[in-house]
Amino acid sequence: MDTKLDPSRDDLPLMANTSHILVKHYVLDLDVDFDSQTIDGTLVLFLESGNRSRKKSGSTEEACRSESNEACKFRKPEPCHVPVADTRTSLSKMGYNDFAICGKGERDTSGKDGNHDNQEQTYGISSSKHCCDTGNHGSENFLLVLDCCDLSVLKVEEVDVAAVPGIEKFTRSPKLTVVSELRNQIVRELVTLPADRWREQLDCYARCSQAPGCGELLFDTDTWSLQIRKTGAQTATDFPHAIRIRYRTKPQGRSVTWTSDQSGRPCVYTMGSPINNRALFPCQEPPVAMSTWQATVRAAASFVVLMSGENSAKPTQLREGRSSWHYYVTMPMPASTFTIAVGPWTEVKPETCSPSDLAAERSLSPSEADFRCVGVCGHMKYPCRFQNPSATTQEVIPHRVFAPVSLTGACQETLLQLLSPCLSAAHSVLGTHPFSRLDVLIVPANFPSLGMASPHIVFLSQSTLTGGSHLCGTRLCHEIAHAWFGLAIGARDWTEEWLSEGFATHLEDVFWAKAQQLAPHEAQEQQELRASLRWRRLQDELRNSPEQLQVLRPNKEKTGHVSDSGSSVIKHGLNPEKVFMQVHYLKGYFLLRFLARRLGDDTYFSFLRKFVHTFHGQLILSQDFLQMLLENIPEEKRLGLSVESIFRDWLESPGLPQPLQTERQAGAECGLARQVGAEVAKWNRVNRRPRKRKRRGTEEVFEKLLPDQLVLLLERLLEQKTLNPRTLRSLERTYCLSQQDAEVRHRWCELIVKHKYTTAYKTVEEFLQEDQAMGIYLYGELMVSEDARQQQLARRCFQLTKEQMDRCSAQVVAEMLF
């Protein structure tokens, strides 16, 4: 697996040469077209050359040096091809909100006629009037490499920021006579403006993004990247610091999903693809490339545009039945965290507003509040909420809920009631909310997981809305936890997923207990029960997964290392099996639980608040967390703990960590688990009972169980060799299993499949179609059974859903079925 990259199954290359030059800000100006299922428009990049830039530093040979990136070969230049689109579109009359991209009457020939996309490699032209000299731009020219896939790149040009009225205030050296140096100096001054001038900075970015072009740039694409050069620009310092890319997405692009919502109306959203956002816009994917962004998106007036943005955008009505939405972000984050969703969503509002909701609506965002320093932060400068006294005490941030019209009732009953208590619980544990507001969207049925968190927006599966508040509450707490771990604090090496998912899994239990206002002993019981469930899940997953996918720090001592250019690979990033694995959730959870128990909860969470305050707005590696933690553990409590021993036992070895095995073997079952054991014994007696009952007095009396107890009960019953139809029917009626949450119904479906309970096959079909976020494993169970009727059921359901199904999920299911 380490010898040669297999792009279709193995490692994910991050191609951007971030060691030489960094994108500091993106300005996107996009049109969403549901007829063609494309997003097209322009992207303006504002760049800053790195300290390591030097002559030839961006040469092709160095940009492609990564040993696992042998496919990146900048080809000998071919004759220039003039793009089909008109390259002389006037910019003089364009306003920011209606920035014209191209004439709408132009026909898109990008897929067929040899223009510049990630399949056909041809060069851009250096001028709209004169063909470039393609024979004299070899390795002496700096090469900007961006991560890019499944995009049609139509044109790349330098932006004449010096033409913007009033921009001369950013020129420190009026004696500069070289225009290109003047433009770059303007951008250097703009990207380094102080944090308290963020409004002025955003306005300047917007005005500069509309400036006319001043020369087209040479470009080429391959499977994973867009490569741009300017003849004569030999270093990153010489390279234009403001460039405009005109491009179009492809319907089959892997960063966005074009589908229908639960009401049958078209929508599109980013779905957390393994390739991240490189098929949405050319960008620098390595997490070290922390940037800000602003975006204007136009769509039909009947659609709502939601996005990662600090502002709660409202639509601006345009002519011809279209609307424009504008969002911005002032906190630098990796481009992979950018999220967009466009659809006919309905905002779900509470029937009555509680005092806490009103207080949240009145509270100020960090960008609107006074910017006053209340402590030193370690991150690059931005308008930080941790430095805003009013933000630090804000328990509940402003929030909105959006959903398809058919699910607004379910959102009002469940989700809306949970948001304020869950946000307040998170604040009580970790302190300042890193983000000023939150939108929650119920995404279409084909969403491949229960939830996904991005800056200022959370996607939730419709599966969280059924069967009471438990699953919705725990998943909401998990995604809220990502605001701190995964977003405000990110992993510097994406192979260390446990730094995001392990923390969110551990914190979801703590948040949920506080949101329910449980007494300490109740909270401990519920958390012990959930630990028991996760222990069973971890054991099962480790038994059924390749060892190389069980390691939380697969790069070991090379974790965080990149090539000289900044490119790297994400180990196993494209392996379809990995998408559905939970090892990094579960092992990470148990490691943090182990450490919290060693310190004591009070000491551990006090430390965690300190850690958040120290590292928010930054990228970390495992050792950053572990070293700071161990420094805060009294010597008598360390008991041999060291960063090296934790690496060895928990992060760099497959299988079950030895300390965890020791702990589970020594620990006694919690009371809630023992209660489930008693109920399992009752059901075993029922299952053994003869068909005709002797006396009514022998009937079992079953206890009412919590959702997690029901999950454990059904898992324990799955271990039984046989359960007769009469027992299964009684089980279904006793607990109203078809009305329980998706976690419970998933185990119930497994029981139906295992025992061929044909009466309830309809329940399995409904689950596979309505709960696609959790149904993948069921397809496997149906096929493993080697029962013709069950296999027919699996294939029938797949045929009904495959066109709408998430691509990775469809690939995995197809391999199971055929």
Side-chain angles (χ1 to χ4, degrees), residues 55 164 182 194 214 266 269 280 297 415 473 500 530 566 639 753 775 783:
K55 188 170 182 178
V164 176
L182 179 65
C214 54
Y269 65 96
L280 177 60
V297 179
L415 179 57
S500 173
R530 290 176 70 78
L639 300 177
V753 171
M783 297 307 293

Side-chain angles (χ1 to χ4, degrees), residues 499-763:
L499 288 170
S500 173
E501 298 301 351
F503 275 91
T505 305
H506 187 237
L507 287 166
E508 78 177 61
D509 293 355
V510 181
F511 291 180
W512 183 231
K514 288 187 176 293
Q516 296 175 91
Q517 299 182 334
L518 297 180
H521 72 280
E522 290 180 289
Q524 183 177 357
E525 275 288 304
Q526 288 197 14
Q527 289 169 20
E528 289 295 331
L529 176 62
R530 290 176 70 78
S532 297
L533 287 169
R534 291 180 179 126
W535 169 244
R536 296 171 64 88
R537 203 167 303 154
L538 178 60
Q539 289 178 295
D540 183 63
E541 186 145 306
L542 294 178
R543 281 193 295 266
N544 296 286
S545 62
E547 281 197 352
Q548 64 266 30
L549 298 184
Q550 299 176 12
V551 181
L552 302 192
R553 193 170 177 261
N555 292 332
K556 299 187 178 179
E557 69 278 0
K558 294 183 179 180
T559 300
H561 289 197
V562 298
S563 71
D564 287 346
S565 70
S567 64
S568 62
V569 296
I570 304 302
K571 199 170 182 65
H572 312 308
L574 291 175
N575 191 312
E577 292 181 64
K578 191 171 184 292
V579 177
F580 303 101
M581 292 184 63
Q582 295 186 23
V583 167
H584 46 287
Y585 292 74
L586 299 172
K587 269 193 176 182
Y589 157 81
F590 278 114
L591 169 57
L592 295 171
R593 188 172 182 271
F594 168 78
L595 295 171
R597 289 161 72 97
R598 179 68 63 91
L599 269 71
D601 281 351
D602 290 344
T603 302
Y604 174 77
F605 286 107
S606 176
F607 158 76
L608 205 57
R609 284 189 289 274
K610 179 180 177 182
F611 180 80
V612 165
H613 196 276
T614 301
F615 281 100
H616 69 275
Q618 299 175 68
L619 302 172
I620 64 169
L621 298 173
S622 294
Q623 54 262 41
D624 296 317
F625 170 74
L626 295 173
Q627 285 169 356
M628 185 172 174
L629 177 74
L630 292 176
E631 289 170 3
N632 283 265
I633 296 181
E635 191 68 37
E636 65 273 12
K637 288 190 175 183
R638 289 190 189 178
L639 300 177
L641 273 183
S642 66
V643 173
E644 292 73 23
S645 66
I646 294 172
F647 279 173
R648 182 189 65 241
D649 295 339
W650 292 88
L651 302 182
E652 294 182 352
S653 301
L656 291 168
Q658 187 57 51
L660 177 59
Q661 294 187 63
T662 303
E663 176 191 303
R664 298 307 302 181
Q665 290 166 1
E669 275 194 320
C670 66
L672 292 175
R674 288 196 299 273
Q675 185 181 6
V676 171
E679 299 303 296
V680 170
K682 294 177 186 177
W683 283 109
N684 284 334
R685 290 195 293 269
V686 168
N687 192 54
R688 292 193 298 266
R689 189 171 296 158
R691 194 173 188 83
K692 292 184 179 180
R693 291 172 295 184
K694 295 181 180 179
R695 295 191 303 272
R696 184 171 294 274
T698 62
E699 290 186 358
E700 299 286 356
V701 178
F702 297 100
E703 300 293 331
K704 185 176 180 179
L705 299 178
L706 297 170
D708 284 334
Q709 287 182 297
L710 275 176
V711 170
L712 182 58
L713 172 75
L714 297 177
E715 288 187 359
R716 292 279 300 273
L717 291 176
L718 274 166
E719 296 167 359
Q720 305 303 311
K721 187 174 182 179
T722 58
L723 292 177
N724 61 55
R726 179 167 40 86
T727 301
L728 292 168
R729 184 167 56 251
S730 179
L731 190 69
E732 181 180 17
R733 291 174 179 172
T734 299
Y735 301 114
C736 302
L737 292 177
S738 61
Q739 299 173 34
Q740 296 293 336
D741 68 37
E743 290 277 14
V744 176
R745 288 185 286 111
H746 183 265
R747 277 31 170 230
W748 171 230
C749 287
E750 288 186 279
L751 271 176
I752 293 169
V753 171
K754 177 175 179 177
H755 298 292
K756 299 180 175 60
Y757 184 38
T758 57
T759 306
Y761 277 3
K762 187 69 175 175
T763 300

Side-chain angles (χ1 to χ4, degrees), residues 318-431:
L318 306 176
R319 59 186 181 276
E320 300 176 355
R322 292 180 70 77
S323 295
S324 174
W325 303 70
H326 180 68
Y327 288 88
Y328 63 83
V329 159
T330 61
M331 175 182 176
M333 283 174 288
S336 60
T337 63
F338 178 95
T339 300
I340 186 172
V342 183
W345 326 118
T346 298
E347 184 175 356
V348 185
K349 297 184 177 180
E351 296 177 356
T352 58
C353 289
S354 67
S356 62
D357 291 331
L358 291 172
E361 291 301 324
R362 286 196 299 267
S363 59
L364 298 176
S365 73
S367 300
E368 295 166 335
D370 291 336
F371 184 69
R372 291 173 290 174
C373 182
V374 295
V376 177
C377 294
H379 53 70
M380 64 183 77
K381 301 298 183 184
Y382 65 85
C384 177
R385 286 175 58 83
F386 287 79
Q387 296 181 6
N388 181 340
S390 63
T392 59
T393 58
Q394 186 182 23
E395 295 181 12
V396 179
I397 55 176
H399 49 273
R400 304 182 297 180
V401 172
F402 292 86
V405 65
S406 60
L407 293 177
T408 55
C411 287
Q412 280 185 325
E413 291 174 14
T414 306
L415 179 57
L416 273 179
Q417 314 302 320
L418 295 172
L419 266 166
S420 287
C422 290
L423 287 167
S424 179
H427 180 273
S428 71
V429 175
L430 295 180

Side-chain angles (χ1 to χ4, degrees), residues 46-49 158-162 167-193 201 204-205 208 236-242:
F46 294 87
L47 302 160
E48 183 177 54
S49 52
E158 183 175 358
V159 179
D160 187 6
V161 295
I167 205 69
E168 60 273 4
K169 63 184 176 182
F170 292 113
T171 56
R172 285 188 176 181
S173 303
K175 296 182 180 179
L176 281 176
T177 57
V178 180
V179 178
S180 60
E181 293 181 10
L182 179 65
R183 296 187 192 112
N184 283 358
Q185 184 189 84
I186 290 170
V187 176
R188 279 195 294 270
E189 295 296 319
L190 179 56
V191 300
T192 55
L193 279 179
Q201 187 181 47
C204 288
Y205 281 139
C208 287
T237 304
D238 300 332
F239 189 80
H241 283 29

Side-chain angles (χ1 to χ4, degrees), residues 270 276-277 281 285 291 293 307-308 329 331-340 435 452-457 486-488 494:
T270 46
N276 299 309
N277 282 324
F281 60 94
E285 287 268 298
S291 59
W293 58 76
M307 194 186 299
S308 303
V329 159
M331 175 182 176
M333 283 174 288
S336 60
T337 63
F338 178 95
T339 300
I340 186 172
F435 300 103
M452 184 179 79
S454 301
H456 308 282
I457 186 169
L487 296 175
W494 278 340

